Amino acid sequence: MAGRLSLRTLDSVPRALRPTVDPRALGTGVVHLGIGAFHRAHQAAYTEDAIAAAGGQWGICGVTMRSSAVVDRLAPQDGLYTVLADSGAAASVRVSAAVREVLFAGDRTADVLARIADPDVHLTTLTVTEKGYCHDPASGRLLGDDPRVRADAAQRTPGTALGLLVRGLEARMRADAGPMTVLSCDNLPRNGATLRGLVEEFVDLLPAAEAAALHAWIGARVRFPGCVVDRIVPATTRADRERAAAALGVLDEGVVVTESFRQWVIEDDFAGPRPAWERAGALLTRDAHPYEQVKLRMLNGAHSALAYLGALAGDASIAAAVADDGFAGLVDRMLAEEVIPTLDAPDGVDLTEYADALLRRFANPALRHTTVQVAMDGSQKLPQRLLATVRACRQAGVEPRRTVFAVAAWMRWVWTDRTDDGAPRELDDPLAPVLREAVRGCTTPGQVVGRLLAVTEVFGADLAADPVVPALLTDALARLTADGARAAARSVSAEGAAASS
């Protein structure tokens, strides 16, 4: 080995695997909040391809929010890392150079705000996960009483993504540094409009004169386009790092592994210049909402269903879960009979073909996307991934049995501290204390359903009063409890079509 990947060792990497742009000549034009593996495998990859195709100073300053781990991996490598894309039948390896700087917000807050205020920076993008927005996923509103939000509004050294964004925009306004486009790349309903609303609510918490000036400037100078992102990016393993090192001839601590498929749909509503992402395969559109609904309810909904069922059954990966005929059959029927009929297909998209492709992608053994990883933060994900379909079916007078079964699997995941084979497990969720308290002392599925439906941060107020949903949930949870996830899913997947009511 020739040492560790960096600008110093880049020339020792096989030429075909080197970046498509010269990192030494690349200035920064984008600040990204939440530089995890997904961003590096998705938006950063698109951005490098756009620069290679059309030029521009669109290097990325990546900001990590939770810990310095990404900085520790990437800073010694001058921001370089490997993207290992594997379809299951063929794989590609390439070093990426779009990320030119990595900052940990915990100890570089002032530098993060300065980057957002830099006149050479034109975009701030985000992948901070649903829980990173400090909002109520059921209503989309800011959690204004959250101590983190209150603290960020009271000081100029914020710790949340929303606080960093607002204080960065304020610094940009004061510096008269020009307009800014803010692009959420997270799985939120109408993510652009939702983020705009959260920013406005945060600004309302500031002193009146300060808030008035910032509201006016944001209204005139900032755009919040919506977008839809799609690429499966599991956690990197030691085997992945060894595989990359064998190809590169140098060690890489920042490897990201992903599938060959990728998609990015972006609303064409920018405040200023942007990378030529369409030259890299992104779709620029007037309205991303139809694509968003397809992705959230089909891909993410199916992903969550497989995650909870598979995790309960002891399946370590999504690929293992989808290999179970009962789980795959249930998800297939959920998509065909309950999700697709409630969606408006975007132009040129065949939803049946899309569903078939999803199951093939999930079955890719090279990805090893763990069920527990997908199952994290369920309280933040359920409203848009599964409950939106439940509500749409009920509005159409249909009983969404398979989708409700997936929701019941989440309830079982919350209620039990053991998988079906007796292995212990932990509930990893920002509302874990609330959820644990809700099911404390419950001895029957009916009690669990009643208590969890009362958690309005997840379910709102309507589903508990629905004439069908509580009974469907209770029946499904009783089956999961008595028979285990595999047998219960097999039974439900074989039952007749959903009834009308």
Side-chain angles (χ1 to χ4, degrees):
M1 289 291 171
R4 188 167 172 182
L5 179 64
S6 67
L7 290 176
R8 182 180 58 82
T9 61
L10 186 57
D11 287 345
S12 68
V13 172
R15 185 174 298 277
L17 308 185
R18 295 178 199 170
T20 56
V21 300
D22 180 0
R24 299 172 182 86
L26 190 56
T28 299
V30 181
V31 171
H32 182 80
L33 305 182
I35 184 166
F38 182 81
H39 169 74
R40 285 181 280 143
H42 188 276
Q43 298 101 52
Y46 271 99
T47 300
E48 179 169 340
D49 290 346
I51 298 167
Q57 297 298 309
W58 296 113
I60 298 166
C61 170
V63 180
T64 177
M65 310 292 299
R66 298 177 185 174
S67 77
S68 63
V70 176
V71 176
D72 297 340
R73 288 193 291 270
L74 294 188
Q77 299 183 179
D78 301 310
L80 303 176
Y81 61 91
T82 307
V83 178
L84 198 167
D86 198 330
S87 68
S92 66
V93 177
R94 194 181 81 186
V95 174
S96 175
V99 175
R100 302 313 319 127
E101 181 180 32
V102 189
L103 303 176
F104 173 41
D107 57 22
R108 301 284 299 276
T109 303
D111 291 329
V112 174
L113 301 183
R115 298 298 184 274
I116 297 175
D118 186 336
D120 290 332
V121 169
H122 302 284
L123 294 108
T124 300
T125 58
L126 300 89
T127 51
V128 295
T129 76
E130 294 92 335
K131 68 182 177 183
Y133 288 83
C134 299
H135 78 307
D136 177 351
S139 68
R141 299 295 301 276
L142 179 69
L143 296 174
D145 293 329
D146 187 309
R148 299 169 300 166
V149 174
R150 286 290 178 182
D152 278 6
Q155 60 187 355
R156 296 185 181 276
T157 54
T160 67
L162 198 60
L164 282 170
L165 175 60
V166 171
R167 290 303 188 183
L169 292 175
E170 184 179 36
R172 192 175 185 88
M173 174 188 73
R174 295 181 185 280
D176 193 23
M180 171 67 77
T181 298
V182 178
L183 184 63
S184 169
C185 301
D186 282 299
N187 290 322
L188 303 175
R190 296 191 181 273
N191 51 13
T194 296
L195 180 54
R196 172 185 278 279
L198 294 172
V199 166
E200 291 172 347
E201 289 184 76
F202 187 100
V203 173
D204 284 338
L205 299 176
L206 305 180
E210 185 180 345
L214 189 52
H215 271 310
W217 185 83
I218 289 173
R221 307 286 276 171
V222 182
R223 293 289 180 272
F224 296 82
C227 83
V228 179
V229 296
D230 187 1
R231 199 172 203 185
I232 296 173
V233 185
T236 302
T237 66
R238 177 183 296 179
D240 296 325
R241 288 188 286 271
E242 292 173 350
R243 190 176 175 188
L248 300 178
V250 294
L251 299 176
D252 178 5
E253 295 296 332
V255 177
V256 291
V257 62
T258 187
E259 61 181 335
S260 300
F261 176 91
R262 68 182 190 181
Q263 182 188 47
W264 198 4
V265 181
I266 314 169
E267 290 176 347
D268 194 0
D269 180 23
F270 293 84
R274 62 167 177 81
W277 283 316
E278 70 277 18
R279 296 283 298 275
L283 173 65
L284 276 291
T285 183
R286 182 184 63 82
D287 182 10
H289 186 64
Y291 298 90
E292 170 197 286
Q293 291 298 294
V294 168
K295 198 257 182 168
L296 287 175
R297 296 192 198 178
M298 294 187 69
L299 185 146
N300 296 123
H303 225 189
S304 286
L306 288 166
Y308 292 113
L309 291 167
L312 286 169
D315 289 334
S317 69
I318 295 294
V322 81
D324 183 288
D325 290 342
F327 296 159
L330 183 139
V331 168
D332 185 56
R333 292 194 65 180
M334 180 184 83
L335 293 173
E337 298 173 12
E338 298 170 9
V339 182
I340 290 175
T342 64
L343 291 171
D344 293 323
D347 290 344
V349 177
D350 185 311
L351 296 184
T352 299
E353 291 180 359
Y354 182 80
D356 292 342
L358 286 182
L359 295 179
R360 290 195 299 272
R361 290 169 61 194
F362 292 161
N364 183 349
L367 296 181
R368 300 182 303 279
H369 209 176
T370 68
T371 52
V372 172
Q373 181 186 3
V374 179
M376 290 170 54
D377 305 335
S379 67
Q380 310 297 295
K381 298 173 178 176
L382 252 66
Q384 57 268 22
R385 295 185 177 201
L386 294 170
L387 300 183
T389 294
V390 171
R391 289 187 169 97
C393 286
R394 295 305 299 133
Q395 290 171 4
V398 172
E399 294 183 4
R401 296 176 186 172
R402 279 89 188 175
T403 309
V404 164
F405 188 84
V407 177
W410 172 80
M411 290 185 166
R412 177 67 180 157
W413 188 248
V414 169
W415 184 24
T416 184
D417 62 358
R418 303 265 168 184
T419 61
D420 292 344
D421 58 7
R425 54 140 225 75
E426 292 293 329
L427 178 64
D428 190 343
D429 194 289
L431 288 185
V434 173
L435 300 172
R436 289 195 192 100
E437 183 60 31
V439 300
R440 189 184 306 279
C442 289
T443 58
T444 68
Q447 289 177 326
V448 173
V449 169
R451 296 271 191 88
L452 289 178
L453 283 177
V455 180
T456 56
E457 298 98 315
V458 180
F459 291 97
D462 58 319
L463 293 180
D466 187 273
V468 169
V469 170
L472 289 176
L473 280 168
T474 301
D475 176 70
L477 184 56
R479 294 191 194 199
L480 286 162
T481 304
D483 303 331
R486 290 196 198 282
R490 196 173 301 117
S491 174
V492 172
S493 68
E495 290 176 353
S500 298
S501 63

